[in-house]
Amino acid sequence: RVYHQSNLGVSLTRKRGIELAHGKYIGFVDADDWIEETFFEEMVNFAIEKDCDIVVSGFIRETMNGTEKVSNEKKYRIMSSNEALNCMLDRKIFVWSMCDKIYKADLLKGNDVLYRQVCMGEDLYFLYKCIREAKSIGFIPLYKYHYVYNPDSITRIQNPKKKLDSIEVFEDLLKITTDKKLLYKLRLLYIKEMLSCLYDFMRFGKTANEMVHINSLRDKILVHLKKVSFFDLHIKSLIASIVFLFSNKILGYLYVMC
């Protein structure tokens, strides 16, 4: 069955889709992407056989230069909620895209998993909340979901204000996370996102309002850098952090060069 509506944005469209769905499992396919014929059949069969709340398949990225698997994982896996969250934040086995996965409908309908309408970060929030509530997460090395890279996508457009949405998502996840290991990993990613956003503002930001964002980001970065080890930062974030502490003016140049 197909439902039509005006363009309400990703969040409200997904929300309506969840409300209208009558099946036991729900999956999402982005408008630019495509799936192979047996994708959902194989995913659902695995979910039923292993009694999984969520099943992840891995996906293939398609660009102008060809295709590649976004994971080299070849083993079937059953993971606990905590194990799956750690894998996701480490970007091992799978990443925080909503679309190469299926979810038990009850998991989505019974929990507050959708974020408000934002430009960036919604998938991370959705998947993090879903996995927290799930009892069993399965991985099947299927690779029959095809993600078509679109350089004009809303998440690809260079605009530091859009990254502020992603930063708010990280802040909300930090507030609800109690596991120390997960909290630490979230903080590292949060710092990386703030450094990236700060660099973009320093490149494009000139107005008084944008200077407010720059100063706020600087203050937050200083606070959170004190709570992590420099050696745990991604190399790009590590170098940018060192430069940031000594000279904010050249932060962006080294961030890009690395």
Side-chain angles (χ1 to χ4, degrees):
R1 183 175 296 182
V2 177
Y3 295 91
H4 298 275
Q5 65 178 34
S6 57
N7 187 354
L8 301 176
V10 174
S11 287
L12 290 177
T13 300
R14 286 172 174 166
K15 180 179 179 181
R16 184 161 187 250
I18 291 170
E19 291 171 347
L20 293 171
H22 294 291
K24 186 175 181 180
Y25 293 92
I26 294 175
F28 302 91
V29 180
D30 279 351
D32 296 326
D33 302 344
W34 65 279
I35 58 173
E36 296 182 29
E37 186 176 355
T38 61
F39 172 75
F40 280 125
E41 179 183 358
E42 292 183 63
M43 293 283 279
V44 170
N45 287 341
F46 183 81
I48 293 172
E49 179 186 348
K50 302 297 183 182
D51 192 25
C52 294
D53 295 321
I54 300 172
V55 176
V56 185
S57 72
F59 62 92
I60 294 176
R61 179 189 285 120
E62 297 188 358
T63 69
M64 295 291 291
N65 299 320
T67 63
E68 63 173 342
K69 288 183 180 179
V70 185
S71 172
N72 290 317
E73 183 61 39
K74 298 177 181 178
K75 296 180 180 178
Y76 289 78
R77 291 174 178 266
I78 302 296
M79 296 173 281
S80 67
S81 173
N82 191 270
E83 183 183 1
L85 284 173
N86 275 284
C87 285
M88 182 184 74
L89 295 182
D90 290 337
R91 291 181 177 268
K92 292 179 179 178
I93 303 179
F94 68 98
V95 296
W96 57 69
S97 165
M98 290 171 61
C99 293
D100 63 324
K101 304 165 179 69
I102 62 169
Y103 313 81
K104 273 189 178 177
D106 292 344
L107 184 69
L108 304 190
K109 293 175 181 286
N111 294 286
D112 183 22
V113 295
L114 289 174
Y115 203 64
R116 61 181 177 80
Q117 187 75 26
V118 293
C119 294
M120 295 181 70
E122 181 190 6
D123 280 14
L124 171 60
Y125 182 88
F126 174 91
L127 198 54
Y128 194 93
K129 290 289 292 288
C130 284
I131 293 175
R132 280 187 76 205
E133 300 298 329
K135 295 179 181 178
S136 176
I137 300 91
F139 178 85
I140 174 173
L142 192 59
Y143 301 105
K144 290 188 177 182
Y145 186 102
H146 294 255
Y147 163 70
V148 181
Y149 178 82
N150 178 6
D152 298 321
S153 166
I154 190 169
T155 60
R156 303 291 173 189
I157 299 172
Q158 287 284 349
N159 185 335
K161 290 184 179 179
K162 291 176 180 177
K163 287 187 178 178
L164 292 174
D165 286 344
S166 181
I167 288 170
E168 285 188 25
V169 169
F170 275 111
E171 289 170 348
D172 287 342
L173 293 180
L174 285 167
K175 290 175 184 176
I176 65 172
T177 300
T178 56
D179 181 89
K180 289 183 179 180
K181 188 175 181 180
L182 290 173
L183 192 63
Y184 190 80
K185 289 180 180 181
L186 276 171
R187 199 180 303 280
L188 290 173
L189 292 168
Y190 175 50
I191 291 170
K192 180 182 178 182
E193 192 71 6
M194 286 194 292
L195 285 166
S196 175
C197 185
L198 177 60
Y199 160 64
D200 285 347
F201 269 120
M202 292 174 73
R203 286 179 65 200
F204 306 114
K206 297 180 180 179
T207 68
N209 184 52
E210 286 162 342
M211 285 304 300
V212 170
H213 290 308
I214 289 173
N215 291 330
S216 174
L217 285 167
R218 285 173 175 168
D219 291 341
K220 290 178 181 179
I221 290 168
L222 283 173
V223 168
H224 288 275
L225 279 176
K226 296 175 182 178
K227 299 180 180 181
V228 301
S229 167
F230 268 24
F231 299 105
D232 289 330
L233 292 167
H234 182 276
I235 185 62
K236 180 185 279 191
S237 299
L238 172 61
I239 296 175
S241 299
I242 294 171
V243 174
F244 169 79
L245 291 175
F246 291 99
S247 175
N248 288 332
K249 293 183 180 180
I250 60 173
L251 165 70
Y253 297 103
L254 283 184
Y255 193 90
V256 169
M257 289 172 61
C258 296

